[in-house]
Structures are given as structure tokens and as C-alpha cells.
Amino acid sequence: MLTLGERITGGEARHLAGVLPAEIAPPLVPPEDVAEKFGVAEFVRRVSERAGVDETVARRGVAAVFMTLREAVPGTEFEDVMSQLPNEFQNI
């Protein structure tokens, strides 16, 4: 969740954190309001490094998290998050 928080704006991260269980929301909120600009490859690399797993495992984990968010987040909040990411994130 930390990597997603880095990639979307602080306002969007706070909105998303507000609809998630408290135990996973805090790492989502970034220290900066401005989103970092990076693609899927860098996203997966950061997750891989933080989790201590290879990039194949990290990519599967990222896909699982996005699928879970799509199902768990109410209303259009998930679409709002995805609108801040490049189209390549649609194919994770």
C-alpha cells in the first residue's frame, strides 16, 4: 500500500485510506501531497524490494491487491485511484 500511496496524490490517498480498514490505511498516506510519476515496472520493483521477493512474486501480489481494492472499495473511489495511474496499470 505504501507504493500506491507514493504513486497517487495525497488527497486521493487520504480518500482511499478513509474507506479502508485502519490496519492497512496508515501506510497508504504519503508524506507528500504530490504523486510521484512512475510506471508499472518501477511500481513492481519497489514492491519487490520492500517485500524482499522477486519481481514475479511482487507482480502477482500487486495484481491481487488491485483486484481486492476493486472489489472492496465502495462507489467510484477505485476508479478515482485508477484515473491517476497510467493505462498500463489496467493490465496488472
Side-chain angles (χ1 to χ4, degrees):
M1 296 302 282
L2 178 61
T3 306
L4 180 58
E6 293 170 339
R7 185 55 187 81
I8 60 178
T9 64
E12 190 59 48
R14 283 187 289 281
H15 286 138
L16 182 57
V19 299
L20 293 173
E23 52 275 0
I24 62 172
L28 180 62
V29 181
E32 301 291 328
D33 266 352
V34 179
E36 292 183 47
K37 301 295 182 194
F38 51 86
V40 169
E42 176 63 12
F43 193 98
V44 170
R45 188 200 66 73
R46 290 182 186 201
V47 170
S48 170
E49 184 177 290
R50 287 180 173 138
V53 298
D54 68 43
E55 289 190 10
T56 301
V57 172
R59 183 173 289 274
R60 279 187 245 146
V62 168
V65 167
F66 275 84
M67 188 169 23
T68 301
L69 284 175
R70 179 177 283 123
E71 294 173 6
V73 175
T76 61
E77 187 62 39
F78 182 76
E79 293 169 17
D80 292 346
V81 169
M82 294 305 289
S83 73
Q84 293 194 10
L85 303 174
N87 288 337
E88 64 183 326
F89 279 82
Q90 299 293 331
N91 300 321
I92 289 182

